[in-house]
Each structure stands twice: as C-alpha cells, then as structure tokens.
Amino acid sequence: MKTIFRKIRDFFTAIFGILLALIFGIGVICLIPFDYIKYKRSAYYKLTHKKYTLYSASSIQFDIYNEIIENDLPIKYIRNPEEDALAWGWFVYDQTLIVPESLTFEFDAKSGEWNYCAEIIEDDETEKEILMSLSEYMEDNIQSANELAGKIICNKAIVLIEAGDIVGNVNLAKDDPNFLVYDGNRVEVLKNFCNQDAR
C-alpha cells in the first residue's frame, strides 16, 4: 500500500513540476515583447541603434544608462571591450567607479566593516555566506575595471544599492561614503552624488 501511495505522490510531484516549468517558460516568453518595446523606446537604442538581443533591456545597467542619458547626468559609461552587452561595462564619474549591486551588504559590528554577502540555498535552507569585505569588494572592482579597460578609468569606487539590499541599519549605510543608497529615488541619489562639491 505504501508503494502505491509513494508512486501516486511521485506522479503528482512530477506533474506539478512540469506545470511549474511550463508556467515559468510561458512567463519568460511573454516578457520578451515588453522587453523589446522597452528597448526600442530607450535612450540607449535612440543613440546606438544596436540590434535588439533577448532580454537586453532587463538589466539594472540598462536602466541606469537610460536614466543617465535622460537626466543629462555627467556620468560616463565605459564599454567593456571584451563584451558587447551593456550589462558588462562601467559607470564612472570623476574617477569614481559607480558599482550597481543587487546582492546584499551587512554590517559586522565586531569588525566595524561591511561585508558583501550572498544567500546560499542548501537542502531547502537559506544560509548567508560572506563573500568578501566591502574594502576587498571595492579593490576588486577597481582593479578589474582598469585592467579590462586597458587604462586607468577609476581610482576609487562607490556602491549604488537599493535600501532593501542592506541588511540591518539602512541609515548607517546612507551615512557611509562607500554607498549610494536609494529607495525608489535612484535618479535623485545619482544627481546629488554628481552635485556634491567635495569629492
């Protein structure tokens, strides 16, 4: 009897998995027309007239690029010569690398340092893993950008991050000169950064 119930359970689990995969696939396919329209209406396309590629309008870099152009911000976009996609270049203002980030940062009160973290899912449990300290993260990004660009494009960096990606005290991050924290007001945050007198 247990074997029959196990087979029935396995059958319905497989059907449920297939249905979820189909729903996900249909959802992904349905996003393509919206992504295409967003791309064709973008300031990026109007400037470059580059051919559309799948999901090219879905990266945070694409959104930031268009916000910079539409708001006439003095932030340069430097293309990675090894990549064609917009998502693999750099935003630089006055030798400062602006690093858009979607993973989390958490403050460690013991060390007094911010850590770059990722959530790792193992056996249906979510664990936080510290990837590196903020200072290491900054150094790594500056070095990579300069090496790949083939010249010195930046000597310092700042993380552009959504408030929801800060674990703990968001105000602490807002007061930290290593972060540009936004909460639905990314353009304003970038404008204020560019308008600061002291760099």
Side-chain angles (χ1 to χ4, degrees):
M1 198 69 171
K2 286 182 180 177
T3 306
I4 293 170
F5 281 125
R6 191 177 301 125
K7 285 183 179 179
I8 291 170
R9 183 195 68 204
D10 291 346
F11 173 75
F12 281 109
T13 302
I15 294 295
F16 182 69
I18 291 168
L19 283 173
L20 276 180
L22 280 171
I23 291 168
F24 177 77
I26 290 167
V28 167
I29 290 168
C30 288
L31 286 176
I32 293 172
F34 296 103
D35 192 67
Y36 177 79
I37 291 167
K38 179 181 176 182
Y39 182 82
K40 287 293 188 176
R41 290 181 174 175
S42 69
Y44 175 77
Y45 176 73
K46 289 171 184 171
L47 279 174
T48 65
H49 295 286
K50 283 189 172 282
K51 188 178 176 183
Y52 173 78
T53 56
L54 281 179
Y55 305 112
S56 52
S58 60
S59 71
I60 186 172
Q61 285 84 354
F62 184 83
D63 291 336
I64 293 168
Y65 181 94
N66 286 290
E67 289 166 358
I68 288 168
I69 299 301
E70 289 163 5
N71 292 279
D72 200 26
L73 298 178
I75 298 169
K76 293 179 187 172
Y77 173 74
I78 300 171
R79 183 175 295 283
N80 182 339
E82 296 184 1
E83 299 283 349
D84 192 43
L86 180 64
W88 300 109
W90 304 281
F91 297 105
V92 178
Y93 174 72
D94 192 27
Q95 293 269 295
T96 300
L97 181 68
I98 301 169
V99 186
E101 190 48 71
S102 56
L103 291 183
T104 59
F105 280 89
E106 183 172 11
F107 187 72
D108 184 348
K110 287 182 183 177
S111 66
E113 195 162 25
W114 288 94
N115 290 314
Y116 181 52
C117 306
E119 289 187 351
I120 309 297
I121 300 171
E122 280 186 19
D123 301 326
D124 295 331
E125 288 187 16
T126 303
E127 292 182 12
K128 195 179 301 158
E129 182 180 319
I130 295 173
L131 302 176
M132 64 183 82
S133 68
L134 175 61
S135 56
E136 291 170 324
Y137 176 82
M138 299 292 221
E139 287 170 21
D140 186 55
N141 274 281
I142 291 168
Q143 184 178 348
S144 295
N146 288 331
E147 283 178 5
L148 288 168
K151 60 181 179 179
I152 303 297
I153 60 171
C154 57
N155 53 31
K156 51 189 171 183
I158 194 163
V159 177
L160 179 64
I161 190 166
E162 194 166 7
D165 292 325
I166 297 291
V167 177
N169 191 337
V170 176
N171 289 326
L172 190 64
K174 286 181 177 179
D175 292 337
D176 192 310
N178 293 305
F179 289 109
L180 288 176
V181 183
Y182 64 91
D183 192 3
N185 61 338
R186 186 168 57 209
V187 172
E188 290 306 311
V189 168
L190 286 170
K191 280 181 181 177
N192 290 338
F193 173 68
C194 294
N195 289 333
Q196 290 173 7
D197 292 327
R199 297 241 55 85

